[in-house]
Amino acid sequence: MNHPFGHDVIRFMGDSREEVRADAPSVGGGAPPNGGLSIGEISRMTGVSVATLRTWEQRHGFPVPHRLPSGHRRYDASVVEAVLTVLRQREAGTRLETAIAEAQQPDGRSAPSVFAEVRRRSPHLEVHRLRKATVSALSRAIEDEFCARADQPVLFGGFQKRRFYEPVRDRWEDLATTARATLVMADFDGPLPGERAVRVRLTAESPLRREWFVVCDAHGLPALLTAWELPGQAGVRDQDREFEAIWTVDPRAVRNASRVCAATSLAVGAPGAELLVRQLAEPSSRPLDPSASARLFNRVVTYLDRLG
């Protein structure tokens, strides 16, 4: 596949000037050597400079590398087509942030799962196997100590099924009154007029249909819970269903989870999603409120004690 443009072209992406060569070599097929492609090879195959690719990765989390046992960073071959898709979208006038979000889901399907993305980008975070009752206590504690206290947060909630959301609908509508944006995700039919929390319909093939998550992207009070339901639990009592769960107050992990949610919302045309993709493109840098972790721990203990 040749570079999609026939002449040398200079683009402006945000405040940075980017030069793209039009004489980039064809992509070609075959397995990438040595476990993947280097960033230099990606640059040669797409015509995007190494400096620009590194800027995209730092600011927008794209493209995503993996590390070889030697410690060297490599990229999957699919990254080449994704980068070229970004260039085509930019040529058509699409903003960089939106083009990147769409390039990671070129078939119109949902973005990667929140759980998988957090594990990939934050491998140091521990994974715990928990019953639904415990995940519920963690979820409510984050809602109380972070979502409700934060100043104009961006909130995402993943509920798997609409019937799991309805019992807490009023709670999330209250949280939405002080949030900059609130999106809740499940097998909804679509948004409901008059609701503050935007209902995002997850398609049948979306990996988020198996996940439970609460994301509070806020200055000083970031928090994240993401849990993946283990398969083979059809006959298990609802409160005893088991999940692999991660929770953290790391602003970078929270921002990465937010980007997955925003990209998924954009893919299904949720109101306000394109603006969120742009707003969440920049990294989160505000430090955590030092007392927030202790409050979260104490709140979780209180809720778990009530379960006993």
Side-chain angles (χ1 to χ4, degrees), residues 51-301:
T52 295
L53 291 171
R54 292 196 189 282
T55 297
W56 289 1
E57 186 178 329
Q58 180 182 14
R59 294 184 179 176
H60 309 291
F62 169 85
V64 180
H66 61 268
R67 288 193 179 274
L68 300 179
S70 63
H72 292 100
R73 292 153 57 92
R74 290 293 184 268
Y75 300 81
D76 294 338
S78 60
V79 166
V80 175
E81 178 58 32
V83 170
L84 292 175
T85 298
V86 170
L87 298 182
R88 288 192 291 268
Q89 294 276 43
R90 289 292 291 151
E91 182 73 1
T94 304
R95 292 179 62 94
L96 176 60
E97 299 90 342
T98 303
I100 286 175
E102 293 180 349
Q104 295 181 84
Q105 45 194 339
D107 59 358
R109 296 188 176 188
S110 61
S113 81
V114 173
F115 187 86
E117 191 75 353
V118 170
R119 287 206 70 180
R120 178 163 56 247
R121 294 183 177 278
S122 302
H124 61 285
L125 296 176
E126 293 186 29
V127 178
H128 301 269
R129 187 164 177 165
L130 305 174
R131 291 188 308 118
K132 178 182 176 179
T134 305
V135 176
S136 180
L138 271 167
S139 178
R140 184 162 183 179
I142 290 174
E143 292 164 13
D144 288 346
E145 295 297 338
F146 290 78
C147 301
R149 290 173 177 264
D151 180 25
Q152 292 288 297
V154 174
L155 306 178
F156 297 98
F159 297 89
Q160 299 181 303
K161 300 180 183 297
R162 179 174 56 187
R163 63 185 177 90
F164 295 145
Y165 174 67
E166 294 302 339
V168 296
R169 173 188 173 276
D170 290 345
R171 181 177 179 81
W172 275 78
E173 282 290 285
D174 286 343
L175 292 175
T177 60
T178 56
R180 176 154 48 101
T182 303
L183 288 82
V184 293
M185 312 173 82
D187 60 348
F188 298 122
D189 295 327
L192 286 185
E195 286 194 335
R196 298 184 184 92
V198 176
R199 298 192 180 201
V200 177
R201 176 183 176 273
L202 295 177
T203 57
E205 69 274 11
S206 171
L208 299 188
R209 288 276 288 268
R210 295 193 62 82
E211 298 185 28
W212 177 340
F213 52 87
V214 177
V215 184
C216 177
D217 198 321
H219 293 307
L221 286 174
L224 162 68
L225 165 67
T226 174
W228 174 75
E229 183 175 2
L230 297 170
Q233 301 188 74
V236 177
R237 191 170 67 100
D238 183 58
Q239 288 298 308
D240 291 331
R241 287 188 294 136
E242 291 191 332
F243 294 76
E244 287 190 339
I246 299 171
W247 64 92
T248 183
V249 293
D250 180 352
R252 292 168 298 182
V254 172
R255 180 55 53 88
N256 288 332
S258 291
R259 288 169 175 165
V260 173
C261 294
T264 300
S265 302
L266 178 66
V268 297
E274 185 170 355
L275 177 60
L276 280 177
V277 167
R278 296 201 301 265
Q279 292 175 339
L280 297 171
E282 294 299 321
S284 179
S285 58
R286 185 77 65 88
L288 175 73
D289 177 347
S291 65
S293 295
R295 292 201 307 269
L296 175 61
F297 175 79
N298 292 336
R299 181 77 69 164
V300 170
V301 170

